[in-house]
Amino acid sequence: MDWQALTIRPLRVGEGIPFELLLLADPSRALIEAYLPNANLYLADWEEQIIGAYLLYPLDEQKAEIKNIAVAEAWQGKGLGQILLKHAEEVARANGFDTLLIGTANSSIGQLYLYQKLGFEMLEIRKGFFLEHYEEELWENGLRVRDMVVLGKGLARVTINGSADDTD
Ligand code: COA
C-alpha cells in the first residue's frame, strides 16, 4: 500500500474526539476519558477520513507511553500501525523523551508480535490489570484478557559510528 498521501497530525482545537476509533484499542470509554486530558492525540487522515489514531502520554520527564493506538478495521493489516508507531517514536524523541512504553494484553498476540518487530522489549507484567480495571469479562484469541504486558523502547539517537548520542 502506498501511504504517500497520508497525513498524521495532532487533534485540532475544537475538533471532536474519534471515540469509535479509540474504543477499538481500549473498550473502556471511562478510562479513555481519564487519560485523554493529559495526553496528545494524533490522527491519521486519508482522503478526508480519520483512519488511525494514537495517544502519547507523558509519564515523567524521560518516559512517554502510547496509551492507545488504533487503525480503523477496514484499514488494518496494510502497514498503518507500523507507520503510527514510528511516528510516535519520532514525536516522543523530538519532545526529549528517552523511553517509549506501550502496554498490551497477554492475549494480544498480533500486537505483541508487532511491537517486538519494531524493537520494543518486554519490561514488566502487570498481573491482573484487566481484571481489576475492566468490569466486563474480556476474551481475545480464545484467551481471557488478564495481564498487561508493558514493552519499552529506548529512543537515544544513534550516530553514524553506531554509538548512542544523547548529548544534545
Ligand atoms: N493479529 C495478527 N497480526 C497482527 C495483528 C493482529 N491483531 N496486528 C498487527 N499484526 C501484524 C501484521 O500481520 C503485520 O505483520 P507483517 O508486517 O509481518 O505483515 C504487522 O503486525 C504490522 O501490521 P500493520 O498493518 O502495520 O498493523 P495495523 O495497521 O493493522 O495496526 C493495530 C495494528 C494493532 C494498531 C491495529 O490492528 C488495530 O487498530 N487493532 C485494534 C486496536 C488495538 O488492538 N490496538 C492496540 C491495543 S494494545
Side-chain angles (χ1 to χ4, degrees):
M1 170 109 193
D2 178 1
W3 285 111
Q4 293 256 4
L6 184 79
T7 310
I8 304 174
R9 54 154 183 104
L11 180 80
R12 297 190 182 104
V13 176
E15 185 176 7
I17 307 291
F19 277 107
E20 71 295 343
L21 208 45
L22 301 179
L23 284 163
L24 293 175
D26 184 342
S28 167
R29 186 164 169 141
L31 281 187
I32 296 172
E33 283 175 344
Y35 54 62
L36 201 51
N38 299 315
N40 292 308
L41 176 59
Y42 287 83
L43 302 175
D45 287 334
W46 180 260
E47 294 175 348
E48 324 253 312
Q49 275 182 81
I50 297 170
I51 62 167
Y54 74 85
L55 261 164
L56 198 61
Y57 182 94
L59 293 169
D60 58 32
E61 285 192 3
Q62 279 82 42
K63 297 192 198 82
E65 180 179 346
I66 299 174
K67 278 278 189 198
N68 188 309
I69 179 164
V71 170
E73 256 156 325
W75 298 90
Q76 290 176 8
K78 300 177 194 296
L80 180 55
Q82 294 190 51
I83 294 172
L84 292 174
L85 285 162
K86 288 179 186 161
H87 191 273
E89 273 179 44
E90 286 312 313
V91 170
R93 188 180 286 114
N95 283 287
F97 295 103
D98 62 23
T99 308
L100 185 59
L101 300 173
I102 189 162
T104 195
N106 58 291
S107 50
S108 297
I109 308 301
Q111 289 80 345
L112 286 166
Y113 160 75
L114 170 60
Y115 304 152
Q116 290 177 88
K117 184 173 150 163
L118 291 190
F120 289 82
E121 293 179 10
M122 291 187 194
L123 299 179
E124 188 193 335
I125 296 177
R126 296 195 185 142
K127 294 288 288 175
F129 178 91
F130 293 95
L131 306 180
E132 207 176 299
H133 291 90
Y134 293 80
E135 275 171 24
E136 66 276 37
E137 195 173 296
L138 302 170
W139 289 80
E140 183 185 24
N141 294 319
L143 297 171
R144 181 81 192 268
V145 181
R146 292 175 185 279
D147 309 317
M148 181 187 277
V149 182
V150 181
L151 299 97
K153 180 170 182 177
L155 300 174
R157 285 185 179 82
V158 174
T159 60
I160 38 174
N161 67 12
S163 59
D165 174 17
D166 50 13
T167 52
D168 58 358

